[in-house]
Amino acid sequence: MEDAARKKLEETTRWEPGETEARIFAGWMEGGYFHPEATGTADENYSVAIPPPNVTGVLHMGHALNGSMQDALVRMNRMSGKNTLWILGMDHAGIATQTVVEKRLKSEGISRHEIGREAFTERVWEWKEEFGGSIREQYQRLGASVDYERERFTLDDGYARAVRKIFTSLYEKGYIYRDHYMVNWDPGSQSAISDLEVVNEERTDTLYSVDYPVEGSDQVLTVATVRPETMMADTAVAVNPEDERYADLIGSHCILPLVGRRLLIIADDHVDIEFGTGALKITPGHDVNDFEIGRRHGLEEISVIGEDGRMTAMAGKRFEGMTVAEAQVEVVKALKEEGVLSGEEEYVHSVPFSERSGERIEPLISLQWFCRMEELAAPAIEAVKDGRVNISPGQWKGVYLDWMDNIRPWCVSRQLWWGHRIPVWYRGDETYVGETKPEGEGWIQDEDVLDTWFSSAIWPFATLGWPDDTAELKAFYPTDFLTTAREILFLWVARMIMTGIEFAGDVPFKDVYVHSVIQARDGRRMSKSLGTGIDPLGEIDEHGADALRFGLLAMSSTQDVRYSDPKVQQGRDLATKLWNASRLILLNTEDPADRTIPDQPIALEDRWILSRLESTIATVTRLINEYDFAHAAQELYSFVFSDLCDWYLEIAKPRIYDGDPEVARVLLGTLERTLALAHPVMPFVTEAIWEYHPYRDGHLVVHSFPRSESERISQSVETEVGEAIALTRKLRGWRDMAGVPPKILLQAKGDASTIPEFVARLGRVDIGAHKGEVVATVAGFGILASDELDMNAINERIAVRRGKIEAEIRKIEGKLGNQKFVDNAPAEVVAEEREKLEQLRRELDELG
């Protein structure tokens, strides 16, 4: 190491990520390591398409989690020699972005309608240019090794051309069509939204019983409804054909209260005989199920609620212009006046709300563009069934298949201004669908835009240049891995599989990993509005990017988990420990003439650390490849913190300070392989340490990833040293329990030749054929009394400890003596209790 570098390392006594991360990242960018050439084939290469964050704002903890997972895989594969591409980009996020910009206009005292579509769209582009760069900067703060030179946006020119081609092709195949159909209307955004953007919430409403007079008789047909405000749109009353109570009424008519319209009484299997009175008012214009019933029976479709969420003229003069809530109050009042309201009761049910605006969804019949999905879904179902796409954890495969087997038409049009304008033009009765505007005068383009998820569905191949036959497509499609949240498994993942097979000729990715949701510290969902959000950048500022990355990976699992500050602190501690250990090694070893690790080290501890290193490399590599990031992080932590730092360096210190050349080769080789192994998880601290390593030849980010050398793994050596470490812990444990300070060298009766030298040294015990009073037996060695030991104080401490152990033994014996516990508790719990009991008994015996 050069003198200047040594001096700097000597002075840098602590790992300070805030002072180093930006410089490290700049070095990676300058090296161009994240921008691969488009060479080779997808089978040879490795690629990941990042789930594009919305351009609307900042990264949240979900982005940080899936970004950490992706980067671990990307860095590991890049270091393993694969031509690796991680595709970066952002989504235009139609509704979300339009809403943000509309709020800004409102703060200026204007609306989008006042400035017009063209000017509004220009304002959104200005907003995108102003804030879009923050996403890029935040990924850099996290250390994400995405290809920043190939950044894509779902509204850039090339991407928009791909979207138009997809729409046109689906239209020509007969999959896309226009129809009046029931949609989820969001009054808040003034647009239709998909089923998957609807959030159902449990609400308590009133179930009203309303009497519909049967025509030509004194009989009434009582129906139950929670939405009396929609009754002015009723066009029939339905009963179940198997319901004997109403068999004689089927085919006759009843009269709609408040309106006086004649309603046909029909029979339909959909009607639940047990619900309410068994008679169901049919409102095809305002209920999804009623719409289907109405289509089966050819019923008239009447709408009394407008797109603005207010009652229309069809509702009658008394109710016209009211909000839905106001109309319900007034309709109930009118029913009472007419004497036809016969009952009210509380009713708990599921109510749909817009995920975007928070407004209650109004099922409305609307002229929209739809995509028929059955033909697209069939090959996507087979791709998952035959394993070409592997979805994990396994339960999500079943969820995916269930949804795909029951797929419905997709409403792809949205009543927005920001997004991909639908490539359809009208002139009189003529309709033109194409990738470019038709020639001639008088053509008017459809006002609607496409659902954001329509353009997102082609992300893995459109970002690589499709529909052109690009080098990027040949080199990096299909991609290898996708990590995603469960709530967009259908919104996005399923649709990418469908479009990938249909248009790119293959599945878009091989593996889909549905990651857990990181909850707030108190178990609630993270939300800015709830005040439970945790800013990843704030955590990076406080702890460093490596600490956050490690913490998120360590707390990830197949289950939702609360955000864990201790896990992030564990990551910070690991970075600090690795930095300090590396300083010890690098400042106390010379660059050896032979830089290879000895094939057959003489010292037992050298053979042990090399065995543990190679075992850890094999385990961590396997776990990352299996997407078990939590256990991979913990294995890495255990090796670095415990095996390498707490034990090996302590054992080897005398040889390190004596300048033993063999230990230098072991240390420097072990450090090199450890840094490379840890780099995908903690890239900044490992790269910073590597700058001082004498073996450095270029950046660690492109250093070879270690492959486990199984010939170095020795179970017998690991067992021998493991038992010696356990013995050392016992000796130290007795010392701590007895209150004997480390400066006092204990004497113990026993044969020192039966244990490794370091046990006595680290345990601060002189073991030999000494004579004297044995005051305690620890792991077979008799601790002797001496003038330096305060035996009264020691005996008091031992008595207290003995009492605690005996109490714990009685507790566990009582638990194991309870046959009900033994029979009902999980087998592993019972086994743990029995093992704990044996350990306590052994400790009690050693106390004497």
Side-chain angles (χ1 to χ4, degrees):
M1 189 186 306
E2 294 182 359
D3 291 344
R6 172 176 288 274
K7 186 173 186 298
K8 183 178 179 182
L9 185 58
E10 287 174 341
E11 292 173 349
T12 312
T13 57
R14 295 180 59 190
W15 167 240
E16 297 291 353
E19 300 174 5
T20 311
E21 289 175 351
R23 178 183 61 78
I24 293 289
F25 196 89
W28 293 332
M29 291 292 286
E30 186 178 344
Y33 304 127
F34 308 156
H35 183 62
E37 294 294 323
T39 57
T41 66
D43 287 338
E44 302 165 339
N45 300 335
Y46 189 85
S47 61
V48 175
I50 201 167
N54 290 351
V55 72
T56 49
V58 298
L59 296 182
H60 55 63
M61 204 57 78
H63 294 124
L65 171 62
N66 68 40
S68 299
M69 290 177 173
Q70 291 169 87
D71 202 30
L73 287 162
V74 165
R75 286 178 181 271
M76 186 176 78
N77 278 277
R78 184 186 292 118
M79 295 171 73
S80 297
K82 291 188 177 182
N83 194 26
T84 301
L85 171 65
W86 188 9
I87 304 163
L88 172 65
M90 285 171 278
D91 194 288
H92 67 278
I95 292 177
T97 305
Q98 178 159 320
T99 300
V100 170
V101 177
E102 284 197 74
K103 286 180 179 177
R104 173 177 280 198
L105 291 178
K106 187 176 181 180
S107 70
E108 299 172 11
I110 55 177
S111 71
R112 66 180 170 105
H113 298 286
E114 290 176 293
I115 65 174
R117 182 168 193 151
E118 185 176 342
F120 176 77
T121 303
E122 288 177 3
R123 288 293 296 266
V124 183
W125 275 106
E126 290 172 7
W127 187 92
K128 185 264 179 186
E129 293 305 314
E130 183 179 351
F131 292 99
S134 65
I135 295 291
R136 187 183 315 112
E137 294 165 8
Q138 290 166 73
Y139 271 122
Q140 292 178 355
R141 289 289 309 280
L142 186 66
S145 60
V146 296
D147 189 342
Y148 294 92
E149 297 179 52
R150 282 192 176 100
E151 181 182 321
R152 298 301 303 270
F153 181 51
T154 54
L155 271 176
D156 67 39
D157 290 342
Y159 203 101
R161 181 165 66 92
V163 170
R164 292 193 297 271
K165 187 171 185 64
I166 293 287
F167 184 95
T168 303
S169 177
L170 290 172
Y171 177 81
E172 290 171 350
K173 292 177 181 182
Y175 297 166
I176 282 185
Y177 59 95
R178 199 181 193 205
D179 193 11
H180 286 92
Y181 204 80
M182 178 66 67
V183 298
N184 301 304
W185 187 263
D186 176 9
S189 65
Q190 292 282 290
S191 175
I193 64 173
S194 73
D195 291 344
L196 300 173
E197 293 168 299
V198 174
V199 178
N200 290 294
E201 298 180 8
E202 191 174 272
R203 293 296 172 93
T204 300
D205 283 325
T206 301
L207 183 66
Y208 298 96
S209 295
V210 183
D211 295 336
Y212 286 41
V214 177
E215 187 179 55
S217 75
D218 295 331
Q219 190 175 355
V220 296
L221 197 57
T222 302
V223 302
T225 179
V226 292
R227 302 207 67 192
E229 66 275 13
T230 66
M231 64 181 292
M232 286 79 73
D234 290 359
T235 54
V237 173
V239 296
N240 192 291
E242 303 299 322
D243 194 338
E244 296 179 358
R245 295 174 295 175
Y246 305 117
D248 60 334
L249 293 178
I250 296 171
S252 58
H253 292 80
C254 60
I255 305 301
L256 177 61
L258 306 185
V259 178
R261 185 185 306 128
R262 293 175 76 235
L263 304 179
L264 181 65
I265 301 172
I266 61 175
D268 195 279
D269 291 330
H270 172 77
V271 180
D272 182 357
I273 295 175
E274 303 299 325
F275 177 75
T277 62
L280 182 68
K281 77 183 199 70
I282 303 302
T283 318
H286 296 292
D287 183 271
V288 174
N289 293 317
D290 290 5
F291 175 80
E292 298 292 343
I293 293 172
R295 288 281 167 109
R296 284 198 294 271
H297 293 271
L299 301 177
E300 184 182 4
E301 296 168 351
I302 299 173
S303 293
V304 296
I305 301 173
E307 293 179 351
D308 59 357
R310 292 181 176 272
M311 307 303 288
T312 68
M314 289 297 294
K317 287 186 178 180
R318 181 170 178 175
F319 311 112
E320 182 181 0
M322 291 182 176
T323 66
V324 170
E326 291 168 346
Q328 182 176 102
V329 173
E330 196 62 24
V331 168
V332 170
K333 181 180 177 182
L335 291 172
K336 290 179 179 177
E337 292 170 359
E338 197 166 300
V340 292
L341 188 64
S342 57
E344 298 179 41
E345 61 180 279
E346 271 194 358
Y347 180 62
V348 179
H349 66 136
S350 183
V351 177
F353 289 86
S354 167
E355 183 183 47
R356 294 294 184 188
S357 72
E359 294 282 330
R360 180 169 177 159
I361 292 298
E362 283 297 341
L364 298 181
I365 295 174
S366 180
L367 181 59
Q368 301 282 349
W369 286 95
F370 293 88
C371 183
R372 192 173 70 243
M373 304 302 292
E374 290 86 349
E375 294 89 345
L376 294 169
I381 290 170
E382 287 306 309
V384 171
K385 284 184 175 179
D386 65 24
R388 281 179 292 148
V389 175
N390 176 54
I391 300 176
S392 61
Q395 73 264 27
W396 295 109
K397 175 180 177 180
V399 173
Y400 167 93
L401 292 173
D402 287 345
W403 184 79
M404 293 288 278
D405 285 337
N406 297 283
I407 199 164
R408 292 162 55 91
W410 176 14
C411 177
V412 297
S413 50
R414 296 290 182 269
Q415 289 63 56
L416 303 170
W417 287 357
W418 173 247
H420 291 275
R421 190 94 171 256
I422 290 179
V424 177
W425 288 261
Y426 309 102
R427 185 170 65 181
D429 294 334
E430 295 179 86
T431 299
Y432 175 84
V433 178
E435 297 178 46
T436 58
K437 182 180 179 179
E439 295 180 0
E441 300 296 324
W443 290 101
I444 299 174
Q445 189 171 2
D446 196 301
E447 290 288 321
D448 292 350
V449 300
L450 288 165
D451 178 11
T452 296
W453 297 104
F454 189 93
S455 52
S456 299
I458 63 173
W459 180 253
F461 56 92
T463 51
L464 296 172
W466 188 95
D468 297 331
D469 186 19
T470 64
E472 281 80 7
L473 272 171
K474 293 174 183 175
F476 300 114
Y477 187 88
T479 64
D480 290 88
F481 174 76
L482 175 77
T483 179
T484 185
R486 58 175 176 259
E487 60 265 22
I488 57 174
L489 185 61
F490 312 127
L491 276 170
W492 189 44
V493 178
R495 290 165 177 168
M496 283 192 289
I497 297 173
M498 287 187 268
T499 59
I501 294 171
E502 181 73 16
F503 294 102
D506 202 349
V507 297
F509 27 68
K510 301 178 183 76
D511 288 331
V512 176
Y513 179 74
V514 182
H515 63 70
S516 57
V517 173
I518 305 294
Q519 301 167 331
R521 295 179 177 94
D522 60 4
R524 291 184 293 169
R525 68 183 179 88
M526 285 198 190
S527 167
K528 186 177 180 180
S529 61
L530 292 175
T532 56
I534 301 170
D535 179 15
L537 295 186
E539 294 294 276
I540 290 173
D541 288 339
E542 184 175 354
H543 303 287
D546 290 333
L548 179 63
R549 289 167 62 115
F550 177 91
L552 288 171
L553 294 178
M555 71 182 80
S556 70
S557 72
T558 58
Q559 304 294 323
D560 292 351
V561 292
R562 297 184 180 192
Y563 186 79
S564 171
D565 291 296
K567 292 290 187 188
V568 177
Q569 185 60 49
Q570 193 178 43
R572 179 63 189 261
D573 292 344
L574 178 58
T576 299
K577 192 85 166 181
L578 186 56
W579 177 264
N580 292 339
S582 299
R583 286 184 72 253
L584 171 68
I585 295 169
L586 296 170
L587 292 173
N588 291 282
T589 54
E590 297 296 329
D591 185 4
D594 183 353
R595 289 181 168 181
T596 62
I597 297 174
D599 290 332
Q600 295 293 331
I602 297 171
L604 173 66
E605 61 266 24
D606 291 350
R607 284 180 279 131
W608 172 75
I609 195 60
L610 293 174
S611 179
R612 289 296 308 124
L613 171 63
E614 301 307 324
S615 294
T616 302
I617 290 171
T619 301
V620 169
T621 304
R622 174 181 59 79
L623 290 170
I624 291 178
N625 281 325
E626 293 174 354
Y627 314 133
D628 187 351
F629 300 99
H631 286 104
Q634 291 303 330
E635 285 287 331
L636 186 64
Y637 180 90
S638 178
F639 172 76
V640 172
F641 219 94
S642 180
D643 296 341
L644 179 61
C645 299
D646 286 353
W647 290 106
Y648 178 69
L649 291 181
E650 291 302 313
I651 294 169
K653 264 183 183 177
R655 297 169 57 215
I656 296 172
Y657 292 142
D658 286 346
D660 183 332
E662 183 164 280
V663 81
R665 291 169 63 193
V666 172
L667 280 168
L668 291 171
T670 296
L671 180 59
E672 177 184 21
R673 291 172 70 76
T674 299
L675 293 175
L677 178 65
H679 182 79
V681 175
M682 308 182 78
F684 287 108
V685 67
T686 52
E687 187 75 75
I689 294 168
W690 181 243
E691 292 177 336
Y692 297 99
H693 200 293
Y695 298 176
R696 184 179 188 270
D697 181 18
H699 283 86
L700 187 64
V701 68
V702 287
H703 186 285
S704 61
F705 191 77
R707 293 186 178 181
S708 178
E709 298 175 2
S710 58
E711 65 274 12
R712 292 191 184 277
I713 299 174
S714 171
Q715 194 57 55
S716 61
V717 168
E718 290 194 29
T719 299
E720 182 179 357
V721 175
E723 290 174 350
I725 287 172
L727 175 55
T728 306
R729 283 196 174 109
K730 287 182 178 180
L731 289 168
R732 287 175 167 178
W734 184 89
R735 179 190 289 274
D736 291 342
M737 184 272 300
V740 179
K743 67 180 180 180
I744 295 177
L745 180 67
L746 295 173
Q747 285 198 327
K749 185 180 294 186
D751 184 358
S753 66
T754 62
I755 56 172
E757 167 274 334
F758 68 80
V759 173
R761 173 163 50 88
L762 298 183
R764 297 284 295 142
V765 182
D766 175 17
I767 300 174
H770 305 296
K771 295 181 179 180
E773 178 190 357
V774 175
V775 296
T777 301
V778 181
F781 297 102
I783 305 297
L784 302 181
S786 71
D787 294 339
E788 293 179 292
L789 299 182
D790 183 346
M791 292 312 302
N792 289 330
I794 290 175
N795 286 333
E796 285 181 14
R797 286 171 171 266
I798 290 174
V800 170
R801 178 59 185 159
R802 183 184 294 110
K804 289 181 178 179
I805 293 174
E806 288 172 342
E808 188 65 22
I809 286 175
R810 287 193 297 272
K811 180 180 174 182
I812 297 176
E813 285 177 337
K815 194 181 286 187
L816 293 174
N818 182 346
Q819 196 60 41
K820 196 172 182 181
F821 168 78
V822 175
D823 292 341
N824 296 326
E828 60 271 20
V829 172
V830 176
E832 286 174 7
E833 291 295 319
R834 286 178 174 150
E835 175 61 26
K836 194 187 302 181
L837 179 62
E838 290 305 311
Q839 289 176 353
L840 289 168
R841 285 172 174 167
R842 286 194 294 270
E843 186 179 349
L844 188 63
D845 289 341
E846 290 180 351
L847 288 177

